[in-house]
């Protein structure tokens, strides 16, 4: 495994980091809890030391499962990354910015983006309890909240750092302008953003700024939630309540399939899976610090961790990029 410093902090994270959205089950067609715990264990056994989760994932279940998985392990060798700012239980009393209606076993839950100071403090305490720890290595704003001044949110994060509740503060889904505004109040460790072979918009403005200002980029959805594994062009299917039924609709399936067919021989030549080749390519892109990879069982987790061992030379990178340019 490769380990990389996150921005200007002393956090040394695994280049492939475990992404725990899917093990929450909600929006992903459910989950098998023991398989999820096994996936975390397998990740840790194969050099993945960093685990990224959020309260919203499974309405607390993802954090709880990670807490169970790391119980009894050396906490100093594990980096816990979580988030705040999505409220689904009504505790915001209508405050914040309405985001969308989530489905919890047939029950509709209105989700709000809410990043006021009092809510941040509340959410952190809840996350610490679910995770079974007394500090988070990185706390990240989950989605921007237009109803709360950025300065208020950042001041709350700075306070949590001073209290020792978090080691570093980051954001997610922040635009360039939002990053610049936040940096007036705090030195951010990172910005977690959607980034993949099929979604490279942040290369235009955000990545040049983060490189210049030494802010880490945490790339999420590098496999586009499984689309770039190629399995959904073969025999894999989705459950009816899996959000990817709609999510995949933004892509041209024939173009994606043709691209994957073009690069698959390269993966085979390296005795690697398509997903491993895609993950490794992502870790090699300028400005990308760490890459999140989800896994719902031990086999997937091991496959993800071993992606870091693939060697891709400049000619091979150029070949992949030329194929990408056809999309």
């Amino acid at each position: 495994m490769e380990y990389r410093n996150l921005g200007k902090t002393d956090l040394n994270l695994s280049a492939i980091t475990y992404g725990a959205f899917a093990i929450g089950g909600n929006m992903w067609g459910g989950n098998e809890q023991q398989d999820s715990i096994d996936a975390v264990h397998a990740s840790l056994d194969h050099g993945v030391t960093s685990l990224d989760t959020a309260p919203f994932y499974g309405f607390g279940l993802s954090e709880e499962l990670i807490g169970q998985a790391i119980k009894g392990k050396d906490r100093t060798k594990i980096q816990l990354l979580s988030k705040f700012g999505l409220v689904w239980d009504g505790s915001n009393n209508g405050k914040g910015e309405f985001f969308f209606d989530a489905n919890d076993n047939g029950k509709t839950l209105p989700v709000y983006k809410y990043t006021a100071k009092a809510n941040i403090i509340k959410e952190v305490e809840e996350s610490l309890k679910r995770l079974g720890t007394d500090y988070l290595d990185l706390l990240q704003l989950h989605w921007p909240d237009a109803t709360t001044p950025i300065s208020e949110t950042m001041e709350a994060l700075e306070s949590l750092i001073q209290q020792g509740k978090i080691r570093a503060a980051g954001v997610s889904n922040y635009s360039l302008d939002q990053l610049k505004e936040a940096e007036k109040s705090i030195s951010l460790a990172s910005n977690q953003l959607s980034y993949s072979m099929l979604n490279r918009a942040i290369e235009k403005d955000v990545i040049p700024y983060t490189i210049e200002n030494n802010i880490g980029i945490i790339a999420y959805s590098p496999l586009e939630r499984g689309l770039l594994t190629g399995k959904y062009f073969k025999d894999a299917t989705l459950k009816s309540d899996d959000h990817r039924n709609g999510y995949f609709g933004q892509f041209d399936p024939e173009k994606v399939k043709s691209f994957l067919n073009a690069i698959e021989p390269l993966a085979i030549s390296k005795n690697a899976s398509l997903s491993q080749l895609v993950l490794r390519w992502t870790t090699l892109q300028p400005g990308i610090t760490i890459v999140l990879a989800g896994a719902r069982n031990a086999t997937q987790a091991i496959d993800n961790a071993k992606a870091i061992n693939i060697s891709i030379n400049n000619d091979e990178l150029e070949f992949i990029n030329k194929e990408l340019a056809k999309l």
Side-chain angles (χ1 to χ4, degrees), residues 152-206:
E152 177 183 339
T153 302
M154 297 305 127
E155 286 165 10
L157 290 173
E158 185 64 53
S159 175
L160 287 166
I161 291 174
Q162 298 302 321
Q163 294 172 41
K165 295 291 179 71
I166 65 175
R167 291 178 62 192
V171 293
S172 302
N173 304 299
Y174 254 30
S175 67
L176 177 58
D177 287 343
Q178 289 166 331
L179 269 182
K180 290 179 177 178
E181 182 65 27
E183 284 269 298
K184 294 177 182 178
S185 303
I186 195 172
S187 177
L188 288 172
S190 57
N191 190 7
Q192 183 174 143
L193 294 161
S194 178
Y195 180 80
S196 75
M197 288 176 161
L198 306 180
N199 176 16
R200 301 171 67 180
I202 62 173
E203 293 178 355
K204 297 176 183 177
D205 57 357
V206 175

Side-chain angles (χ1 to χ4, degrees), residues 18-19 23 32-46 48 51 66 69 293-302 304-305:
Y18 183 79
I23 67 170
E32 295 294 335
Q33 295 194 15
Q34 189 57 53
D35 284 350
S36 300
I37 292 172
D38 290 345
V40 176
H41 287 165
S43 297
L44 295 172
D45 290 344
H46 287 79
V48 174
L51 311 173
I66 287 180
R296 303 179 74 166
N297 56 55
T299 299
Q300 292 176 352
I302 294 169
N304 291 342

Side-chain angles (χ1 to χ4, degrees), residues 98-148:
F98 177 75
F99 196 11
F100 66 99
D101 284 323
N103 184 292
D104 182 25
N105 295 315
K107 181 181 179 181
T108 298
L109 298 178
V111 179
Y112 284 80
K113 296 182 282 188
Y114 186 46
T115 63
K117 181 177 181 179
N119 183 63
I120 298 171
I121 303 303
K122 170 184 173 292
E123 286 200 50
V124 167
E125 293 302 326
E126 292 170 347
S127 290
L128 293 175
K129 183 177 180 180
R130 285 190 287 258
L131 289 162
T133 187
D134 58 1
Y135 71 95
L136 296 171
D137 295 276
L138 179 70
L139 179 65
Q140 306 157 93
L141 174 150
H142 205 153
W143 283 90
D145 163 26
T147 70
T148 303

Side-chain angles (χ1 to χ4, degrees), residues 11 55-56 66 81 84 88 103 133 145 161 210-211 219 236-237 252 291 307-308 316 323:
L11 291 180
F56 176 71
I66 287 180
L81 289 54
F84 68 89
W88 67 88
N103 184 292
T133 187
D145 163 26
I161 291 174
T210 56
I211 290 175
T237 58
D252 185 322
V291 175
I308 204 67
E316 291 164 339
E323 292 300 322

